[in-house]
Amino acid sequence: MFNKIKFLINHREIRNFINYYIFTIINAAIGIFSISYLTKHILPEDYGMIGIYASILFFLPTLMSFSANGLQAIEIVDLEKDKYLEFRNSLISFVLISFSVCFIFTILASLMFEQYSFVIVMATIMGFITTFSSIHNTELFQYSQATRFGLISTVTVLLGFGLTVIFLSFFDLDWKFRIVAIVLAEFIVLIIRFFFLSTIGSSFYFIFDKVHFKYIIKYGAPLIISVLAGWVLNQSDRYFLLNSFGLKEVGLYAAAAGVASFVVMINSNMIKVIYPLVYKKLSEREGKNFILKVSGIYSVIILVISIFFCVALSFFGPFFLGKKYLSAMPIIYIMCIAQAFFGIYTTTGLVIDYFKMTKLKTILVLLSAVLVIVLSFILIPIVGIYGPAIASLLSFLFLSILSLIISLSLFKKYNVI
């Protein structure tokens, strides 16, 4: 028994799984503690502005890079070192140009929506920084440097929280400096990433390579539509609430989403571990039972974790959230289960990703996005602030079921045994 456990621990995928989840738990704890601190120091209306900031930030890194991280991961494997470095410099150059274009629209948007000008500008700057960070993250994932990735992410989260406490508690500044704190933390760590933990910064030179730029755009353009539909699925709820109620309700919802992000972290780290195994099986046209088994086991695990997390919150949540945010508790429960179903979708969706059915996946996500919009309009008059959360839950359930059906059809189409 001991030898079997030792063998499993020495397996690279198992070690990566353990490393990812150790840091996931640490980061989740810091995140929940940060939310607890914020709900006791800022008003729901101010948290609503942070929620608007987060919703804008959601799609900007993908928009600036044209979702090229997947392409970067492929090029690391396919290209020789010199050719890959040239591609990486082209990608960074592309991001610099796209950021410049995005910033022009940011200025115009901030003039049109003066009330939200601060969050619009800061989200654009943060999107630019995190796009660069993701370039380094892609290399860490590809080279299986789970521990380094975990340490970097934890240091970033800790630094952001530490700066938040300094700004809000010691200098008595307002909610805007929560955003300043996390942007500043990400920027400091980015400098360390590029110049001390990698050669990205020292080896960079600007390249205006039309061939590479067209390659990036051709790869990412279809995915942009999917990302925008994903934005509707994950972020449009804030705007439904803003339109029907106000910033206070958006703030309650944003705080709830922050707590529910615990489940999101579990999903994202699970995918990092299992997708190499799934892709390897599919490349050999086998692994149907393995993939279905993994999806089934993970479905049970993530639902059980989400339910236990909700039960624990029902006892301890009031101690973590400020009194003005207690009405957000039911939203947290709904969103946790919703994110569990989204995690189920991402596991079954790996089959769709492997066979590069990007158009099919885009249609799938678009259908779910339409469902969110329709259900939100129907449910808000009936159940109020809980309407968008229930709409997300039902849409993610629909997404997970439909992706499973499509995956089964792809097994048959490509003779996966």
Side-chain angles (χ1 to χ4, degrees):
M1 183 68 178
F2 176 78
N3 290 333
K4 188 175 181 179
I5 294 172
K6 186 177 179 181
F7 170 78
L8 288 173
I9 292 174
N10 287 332
H11 200 276
R12 187 177 68 177
E13 282 77 16
I14 299 297
R15 288 202 311 272
N16 287 342
F17 177 85
I18 293 170
N19 285 332
Y20 281 131
Y21 271 92
I22 287 174
F23 288 108
T24 294
I25 293 169
I26 293 171
N27 291 344
I30 298 169
I32 292 174
F33 195 75
S34 299
I35 294 168
S36 175
Y37 172 82
L38 290 170
T39 56
K40 293 171 183 174
H41 286 80
I42 64 175
L43 296 172
E45 291 84 350
D46 294 336
Y47 213 127
M49 295 296 282
I50 295 176
I52 298 296
Y53 157 83
S55 69
I56 298 170
L57 178 62
F58 180 85
F59 64 86
L60 280 177
T62 302
L63 188 64
M64 289 183 192
S65 68
F66 263 67
S67 196
N69 293 118
L71 183 60
Q72 180 192 355
I74 295 169
E75 299 297 81
I76 292 174
V77 176
D78 289 348
L79 299 179
E80 295 179 1
K81 185 178 179 180
D82 291 342
K83 291 292 184 181
Y84 167 69
L85 292 178
E86 184 179 344
F87 170 81
R88 188 176 70 186
N89 285 335
S90 294
L91 175 58
I92 295 172
S93 302
F94 179 86
V95 172
L96 287 169
I97 294 172
S98 63
F99 168 70
S100 301
V101 175
C102 285
F103 203 76
I104 293 171
F105 287 99
T106 295
I107 298 301
L108 294 174
S110 62
L111 292 173
M112 291 175 61
F113 306 100
E114 291 186 16
Q115 183 183 358
Y116 306 103
S117 59
F118 176 80
V119 294
I120 293 172
V121 172
M122 294 303 289
T124 304
I125 294 171
M126 185 63 165
F128 173 65
I129 296 171
T130 53
T131 301
F132 275 179
S133 296
S134 67
I135 292 173
H136 183 229
N137 284 339
T138 300
E139 295 188 355
L140 293 177
F141 298 150
Q142 191 65 39
Y143 299 135
S144 299
Q145 295 181 328
T147 303
R148 175 169 285 195
F149 168 77
L151 286 170
I152 292 170
S153 61
T154 299
V155 167
T156 307
V157 173
L158 271 175
L159 182 57
F161 177 60
L163 289 172
T164 300
V165 173
I166 291 171
F167 290 151
L168 271 62
S169 293
F170 288 89
F171 292 105
D172 198 26
L173 300 171
D174 64 11
W175 62 271
K176 293 180 181 178
F177 285 85
R178 164 57 178 172
I179 296 176
V180 171
I182 55 179
V183 171
L184 190 58
E186 192 74 40
F187 177 73
I188 292 170
V189 174
L190 176 65
I191 298 301
I192 296 171
R193 284 172 178 268
F194 271 33
F195 293 97
F196 297 95
L197 299 179
S198 72
T199 61
I200 296 175
S202 60
S203 62
F204 172 71
Y205 53 90
F206 187 86
I207 302 176
F208 190 84
D209 190 322
K210 291 183 180 179
V211 175
H212 278 152
F213 286 6
K214 288 180 180 179
Y215 185 37
I216 292 168
I217 293 171
K218 184 179 179 181
Y219 174 86
L223 298 175
I224 294 297
I225 300 172
S226 182
V227 169
L228 292 175
W231 179 87
V232 173
L233 279 173
N234 290 281
Q235 302 294 324
S236 63
D237 41 24
R238 291 153 175 79
Y239 295 91
F240 283 116
L241 293 174
L242 186 62
N243 180 63
S244 301
F245 301 99
L247 275 172
K248 179 181 177 181
E249 286 71 22
V250 175
L252 294 173
Y253 205 88
V259 178
S261 65
F262 170 76
V263 181
V264 178
M265 288 184 183
I266 294 175
N267 287 333
S268 62
N269 283 294
M270 170 58 77
I271 294 304
K272 292 168 193 168
V273 174
I274 68 171
Y275 86 78
L277 300 175
V278 171
Y279 286 1
K280 184 178 180 181
K281 292 280 187 181
L282 290 174
S283 68
E284 299 167 354
R285 293 298 185 269
E286 62 180 34
K288 175 182 175 181
N289 291 334
F290 169 79
I291 294 167
L292 292 175
K293 185 177 180 180
V294 167
S295 299
I297 292 173
Y298 185 65
S299 299
V300 173
I301 290 174
I302 194 62
L303 284 169
V304 169
I305 289 174
S306 299
I307 292 169
F308 272 98
F309 183 62
C310 291
V311 170
L313 282 174
S314 67
F315 290 102
F316 301 106
F319 296 103
F320 287 103
L321 295 178
K323 292 181 180 179
K324 295 179 180 179
Y325 290 81
L326 290 180
S327 58
M329 292 297 294
I331 302 174
I332 297 174
Y333 306 147
I334 299 169
M335 294 184 78
C336 282
I337 303 301
Q339 290 299 335
F341 280 114
F342 189 78
I344 295 169
Y345 153 71
T346 55
T347 56
T348 54
L350 288 174
V351 180
I352 303 173
D353 290 334
Y354 175 80
F355 290 111
K356 299 178 182 177
M357 310 292 287
T358 52
K359 290 183 180 178
L360 179 61
K361 190 170 185 179
T362 299
I363 292 170
L364 182 60
V365 177
L366 280 172
L367 287 173
S368 300
V370 171
L371 188 60
V372 162
I373 294 171
V374 172
L375 288 175
S376 294
F377 275 116
I378 294 172
L379 292 171
I380 285 176
I382 301 171
V383 294
I385 190 175
Y386 308 115
I390 297 172
S392 296
L393 171 59
L394 295 175
S395 298
F396 290 160
L397 175 61
F398 165 80
L399 196 58
S400 62
I401 293 172
L402 200 54
S403 67
L404 175 60
I405 294 171
I406 292 171
S407 295
L408 291 173
S409 68
L410 290 174
F411 287 145
K412 186 177 181 180
K413 179 180 180 180
Y414 290 98
N415 297 317
V416 178
I417 57 174

